[in-house]
Amino acid sequence: MTGIRSLTPPGQPRLLSPQPRRGEDLAAYLATGGYPAAPGPEHLLELVAAAGLRGRGGAGFPTAVKLRTLRDAPGDTVVVANGEEGEPGSVKDRWLLRHRPHTVLDGLRLAAMTTGAVRGYVYLSDPHSADAVRRALSERPPEVPVDIVPTEHTYVAGEESAVVRRIDGGPALPTAKPPRPFERGVGGVPTLVANVETLARLALLTAHPDAAAAVASSYLLTLSGGPKPSVLAEAPAGTHLKTLADHADRSGSAAVLLGGLFGGLYGDGWADLRLDHDELVAAGGALGCGAIHFLPPGDCPVGAAAHATGYLAAQSARQCGVCVSGTQALAGTLAALSRGDGSEEDTGNLRRWSLGLTGRGACGLLDAAAHIAATLLRHFPERVSAHQDGPCPSCADAPSHDGSRLTVTVP
């Protein structure tokens, strides 16, 4: 069972408190200062900008910029709480929707008031989350109408253009960009698509303005890997990955898969990396959705890369020919390497594809697969070469590449 652990300093407002496994009803949320009188839009924008809140869905875009862009847009606007957690190694969004639905709805309320939105949506695929949100909406009907929009659970369903497409009645598949949702989204009007943790932190920092910077610079993380139970954690920016590994009982890990499937693999020196969006990007990784998969000494990074790209290939939306062929080529070649059937030519192909496929799909799925291959070659060249002579014991015993090694259960 997935555990829960907070690494935030005592007394600091946090999302994993006060009773992390107990559902949040209206009375409990009001008792913690929830649904306060909203400050004026300009004041809230200044507060969010000063706190430095970034989006928690993957790209880490400054939240104040997104809010102001929608506020300055002409005509009606729409806000969406995006709770479709496509990353198999992440559980934070579903946990928030199941256990702290009022916090998410409060953040959606504040986003709507700041941008002048006429309607809100909660977009999700988890039935338990939907039930919790319905109960919360019945306890406190929102000032702006809010609809729950269910979708099928897939890797690409949470991509912002797929969110808009599904809410508008189509399939949850990405579309070509531009336009982006903030330009033309749901119903053709400018739309803010915000991750549910982003909205929850917006609510928390508004209720605790004196601690706004600390709230904005803390992260919900899903820590997994190996046979031990996964951990949903909350930690402040600057925390070393070694500290996270220690708290998740994964000391001595040989490597990490960062940011879900988007940040790639990292080998020697991973323990010195810190929980910081810009620092991880500069190191060639990414914080992404805050999912960190630790590889214990017995796990082979070649097998992990094959497993991850195999999952991505199976999750392709199959709309872009280059994504279908590219992910299949990457996954097939890495699977051959993990079996010991690869060659120097295969390694050369991986290097060429990892550079040439980036940025060519409608969404980030192909980029994620290419980055996994690139970081495997960068950090583990000797392991790749060794697999040309035969599989290692770890890869020989590995299960099929179906995503099971990456999937985490919601606590």
Side-chain angles (χ1 to χ4, degrees):
M1 182 177 183
T2 301
I4 294 177
R5 202 156 301 164
S6 178
L7 282 68
T8 55
Q12 178 180 310
R14 59 186 71 167
L15 291 178
L16 287 184
S17 66
Q19 295 175 305
R21 292 190 183 276
R22 181 178 177 181
E24 171 186 73
D25 60 15
L26 179 59
Y29 186 56
L30 291 174
T32 63
Y35 294 117
E42 286 301 323
H43 179 76
L44 182 57
L45 284 168
E46 291 172 4
L47 176 64
V48 174
L53 180 63
R54 291 176 180 260
R56 296 298 197 268
F61 195 78
T63 302
V65 174
K66 293 183 75 171
L67 289 170
R68 185 170 291 283
T69 299
L70 264 291
R71 179 166 178 76
D72 293 344
D76 292 340
T77 60
V78 167
V79 291
V80 180
N82 184 6
E84 171 39 29
E85 201 163 27
E87 286 282 359
S90 180
V91 297
K92 67 182 181 66
D93 296 337
R94 282 167 291 170
W95 185 89
L96 281 169
L97 288 168
R98 290 184 187 189
H99 296 276
R100 302 212 65 179
H102 281 290
T103 310
V104 175
L105 291 173
D106 196 1
L108 188 65
R109 171 187 75 106
L110 293 165
M113 296 177 71
T114 303
T115 60
V118 297
R119 180 168 290 277
Y121 296 90
V122 180
Y123 176 82
L124 43 72
S125 64
D126 176 42
H128 299 294
S129 297
D131 290 343
V133 174
R134 288 192 189 96
R135 285 194 298 270
L137 287 171
S138 68
E139 287 183 311
R140 188 185 188 279
E143 293 93 334
V144 173
V146 173
D147 295 324
I148 298 173
V149 178
T151 189
E152 293 296 320
H153 177 65
T154 66
Y155 185 81
V156 300
E159 193 272 341
E160 62 176 5
S161 66
V163 173
V164 169
R165 195 173 179 183
R166 174 68 187 91
I167 293 174
D168 277 341
L173 298 174
T175 59
K177 293 168 279 291
R180 293 191 175 276
F182 71 85
E183 298 168 312
R184 188 166 72 245
V186 176
V189 305
T191 299
L192 173 74
V193 179
N195 172 263
V196 296
E197 184 191 348
T198 311
L199 294 172
R201 292 208 175 274
L202 177 62
L204 194 62
L205 69 84
T206 304
H208 303 277
D210 292 343
V215 170
S217 61
S218 292
Y219 296 86
L220 289 182
L221 310 162
T222 310
L223 312 176
S224 63
K228 296 177 180 177
S230 301
V231 173
L232 173 62
E234 186 168 17
T239 303
H240 281 87
L241 266 58
K242 182 183 184 305
T243 301
L244 297 176
D246 292 343
H247 279 272
D249 198 17
R250 284 168 172 81
S251 300
S253 294
V256 294
L257 183 62
L258 291 167
L261 300 181
F262 195 78
L265 287 156
Y266 208 96
D268 289 344
W270 70 264
D272 296 326
L273 296 175
R274 298 188 307 159
L275 188 62
D276 179 86
H277 177 85
D278 294 331
E279 184 172 317
L280 291 176
V281 170
L287 179 57
C289 64
I292 303 176
H293 185 86
F294 296 96
L295 276 65
D299 269 13
C300 178
V302 176
H307 195 79
T309 54
Y311 176 81
L312 288 169
Q315 288 289 308
S316 169
R318 310 193 72 79
Q319 295 186 127
C320 307
V322 67
C323 178
V324 175
S325 60
T327 55
Q328 288 180 347
L330 288 164
T333 302
L334 285 166
L337 274 172
S338 71
R339 295 192 303 267
D341 297 333
S343 64
E344 288 187 16
E345 181 182 2
D346 288 330
T347 302
N349 285 335
L350 284 176
R351 184 168 289 105
R352 178 166 54 86
W353 294 333
S354 69
L355 297 173
L357 292 174
T358 301
R360 297 182 61 188
C363 68
L365 185 143
L366 180 57
D367 288 5
H371 192 55
I372 288 169
T375 52
L376 174 70
L377 294 170
R378 183 184 310 142
H379 290 280
F380 304 98
E382 74 291 344
R383 301 293 291 270
V384 174
S385 296
H387 277 69
Q388 295 172 11
D389 301 323
C392 67
S394 173
C395 289
D397 295 337
S400 61
H401 304 148
D402 58 1
S404 59
R405 288 173 62 189
L406 303 170
T407 302
V408 177
T409 58
V410 183

